[in-house]
Amino acid sequence: MNNPQSFFHLHLISDATGETLLAAGRAVSAQYKNARAIEHIYPLVRNEKQLEKVFEEIEQEPGIILYTTVDQELAKSIDEHCLKMGLPTVSLLEPVLTVFQSYLGTPAGRHVGAQHVLDTHYFKRIDALNFTMEHDDGQLAEEVDDADIVLVGISRTSKTPTSIYLANRGVKTANIPLVPGVPIPQSVLDAKRPLIVGLIASAERISQIRQNRILAPDMNSRHLESYVDRSAIVEELAYARQLCTRQGWPIIDVSRRSIEETAAAILALRSRHR
């Protein structure tokens, strides 16, 4: 018998964007299937006045408090507020900063938002995002040799979201749809520079996603039937597998993978491809 799902409030206080906190909070929350976190995010909290307003809200809906702030006085104030309210709190950065300081033998500079500076890595990500959006779904296929990674696969194998995720990591990614009876661009077959990866999924999974997709108004019923028909999807997948095997392209099954897991597997392949 399944236990009923409970809810709890998770308060995330950050002096920057809060992305680190959100990722950490969700990673831990995911381990509790019967407890769902109601997230409250407070980004760019950098002074006592802002902090007072945050705790006024927390007082209305108390819960677990996670925070990242490089200002030690502000961190101390957060700890004091939580102690006074009897609420559990964890500083995500401080234990890591302590380890770094111990190993490197020097204290951290404690610059707020240092991970978001407009440096070469930032502009590399923006360049990769622009490239990826311009080369989505087979666009500008003649330029795929300029990509770092090319994803190929039939419709609904998460090519676009995976491409965007990789681009956000600074990896120029193009994606090419595979359609039986439609020749793949020769430029893809001739590409030497990029790692080309085939994405597949189970026929059941693809059929389900296609059925839930909002279809174009002009898609005729005959096309619709073949689009979601599992036997037709099996043929599409067979074509994709045969092509990838013939070309020596690695294949990743995304049926039970999140976008992040698929991207991690692709990046692992890329490190060996270089």
Side-chain angles (χ1 to χ4, degrees), residues 19-84:
E19 293 176 16
T20 301
L21 280 172
L22 192 58
R26 287 180 176 175
V28 177
S29 296
Q31 304 303 315
Y32 295 87
K33 295 182 179 179
N34 296 318
R36 179 181 173 188
I38 301 173
E39 299 167 347
H40 306 265
I41 306 172
Y42 312 96
L44 304 175
V45 177
R46 297 177 178 176
N47 57 54
E48 286 288 343
K49 186 176 180 180
Q50 292 172 321
L51 193 59
E52 288 293 339
K53 291 182 179 180
V54 167
F55 274 98
E56 286 175 8
E57 294 187 34
I58 292 175
E59 193 171 8
Q60 301 300 315
E61 296 174 312
I64 297 172
I65 299 168
L66 306 181
Y67 70 89
T68 54
T69 176
V70 296
D71 186 314
Q72 291 177 298
E73 289 301 316
L74 201 61
K76 181 180 178 182
S77 183
I78 293 173
D79 290 336
E80 290 174 350
H81 274 87
C82 292
L83 182 62
K84 189 183 300 182

Side-chain angles (χ1 to χ4, degrees), residues 259-274:
I259 299 301
E260 294 84 353
E261 290 171 328
T262 301
I266 292 169
L267 291 174
L269 289 170
R270 186 187 179 216
S271 67
R272 297 194 291 270
H273 174 75
R274 288 175 173 175

Side-chain angles (χ1 to χ4, degrees), residues 18-19 41-42 110 113 119 135 157-158 173 180 186 226 234 260:
E19 293 176 16
I41 306 172
Y42 312 96
R110 294 185 180 272
D119 57 9
H135 296 79
T157 48
S158 301
T173 309
Q186 190 62 39
S226 63
V234 167
E260 294 84 353

